[in-house]
Amino acid sequence: KLIVVAKTYVHQMDSLYTVNTELVEENKEIKARYNEEKAINKNLSKEKAQLSDKIDQASVLKAYNMTAKAIYLKKTGKEKDTDKARRTDMIEVSFTLGKNVVLEPGLKDVYVRIARPDNKILTPGVAEDYIFDYKGEQIQYSIYEQIQYDNEASPLSLRWFKKYEDIEMLSGTYEITVFANGEEIGTTSLELQ
């Protein structure tokens, strides 16, 4: 009777050993498949991040063909281009907003900053009233225009007017930067004597 019980235990141990061996092999397979899926998921996440970056880059407006000119207003009301700082009554900034099919069409806020040679920003009035948010910072602007953007190339000409006689126009280089949708989209400069 003891031998029968011992044989039963040996048989059960053999069965348990076989089952354990099978479970160890199955566990190894599952871990290998898990690691493969984890690697695939990591690659997909990386590709998704790269595509998201590309979409973010593609959804930025671009300005090109940027030019700026100073204008003198004659007493007759006629406008005349000038390169003299003391005669400048307005600055006209012209550029083309590029075609962009990725960007959502609709109203876009366009800001132009005109910095004098001493880096003071020319504003349309009291400087504190003419600010906008750029990358979490409040910065001044010279010209603001809200435009209807329909994903096609759009030429624009925006003007800053010298409203007050006490605004000093300095000789030197005026740096002009255009912003739209929270991004810097183009720059140009204007030289006045």
Side-chain angles (χ1 to χ4, degrees):
K1 200 166 189 179
L2 204 51
I3 295 176
V4 173
V5 170
K7 282 184 182 179
T8 306
Y9 284 142
V10 168
H11 179 69
Q12 285 177 346
M13 285 175 36
D14 281 347
S15 295
L16 287 173
Y17 178 78
T18 304
V19 168
N20 188 38
T21 305
E22 289 172 1
L23 286 174
V24 166
E25 286 302 313
E26 187 179 328
N27 192 11
K28 285 180 185 175
E29 283 179 37
I30 288 172
K31 282 182 180 177
R33 273 190 262 143
Y34 171 76
N35 286 335
E36 283 176 30
E37 291 299 323
K38 195 172 161 184
I40 289 170
N41 191 23
K42 187 176 179 182
N43 285 340
L44 287 173
S45 293
K46 187 177 176 182
E47 287 177 26
K48 181 182 174 188
Q50 289 171 340
L51 287 172
S52 182
D53 284 348
K54 285 182 181 179
I55 288 171
D56 287 348
Q57 290 171 4
S59 65
V60 173
L61 275 172
K62 298 283 187 225
Y64 59 94
N65 295 337
M66 283 192 66
T67 60
K69 66 180 179 178
I71 299 170
Y72 168 66
L73 284 176
K74 292 183 170 190
K75 290 185 177 161
T76 61
K78 290 207 176 224
E79 297 178 0
K80 182 178 187 220
D81 293 356
T82 185
D83 62 355
K84 306 281 189 257
R86 62 183 165 73
R87 297 192 127 219
T88 299
D89 293 313
M90 69 180 78
I91 296 175
E92 182 177 84
V93 180
S94 299
F95 56 93
T96 301
L97 282 179
K99 178 178 181 172
N100 189 328
V101 295
V102 177
L103 196 61
E104 189 74 31
L107 292 174
K108 304 295 176 203
D109 293 329
V110 177
Y111 296 93
V112 179
R113 263 172 74 97
I114 303 171
R116 291 189 327 191
D118 64 355
N119 289 325
K120 182 178 179 193
I121 304 301
L122 297 176
T123 58
V126 178
E128 294 78 35
D129 295 338
Y130 298 95
I131 57 174
F132 70 104
D133 187 54
Y134 175 65
K135 299 196 178 197
E137 204 176 316
Q138 295 290 306
I139 63 174
Q140 296 174 314
Y141 66 86
S142 306
I143 308 167
Y144 165 73
E145 187 80 26
Q146 192 173 60
I147 58 129
Q148 178 64 39
Y149 183 72
D150 60 0
N151 301 89
E152 295 298 324
S154 308
L156 288 174
S157 284
L158 305 176
R159 289 181 163 190
W160 173 82
F161 297 91
K162 180 180 171 185
K163 292 183 180 176
Y164 307 104
E165 281 303 311
D166 61 344
I167 295 175
E168 186 179 3
M169 300 301 288
L170 305 175
S171 296
T173 304
Y174 287 70
E175 297 297 331
I176 299 163
T177 310
V178 179
F179 300 85
N181 282 356
E183 298 288 335
E184 180 180 318
I185 64 170
T187 62
T188 191
S189 60
L190 172 65
E191 192 72 35
L192 296 178
Q193 300 172 1

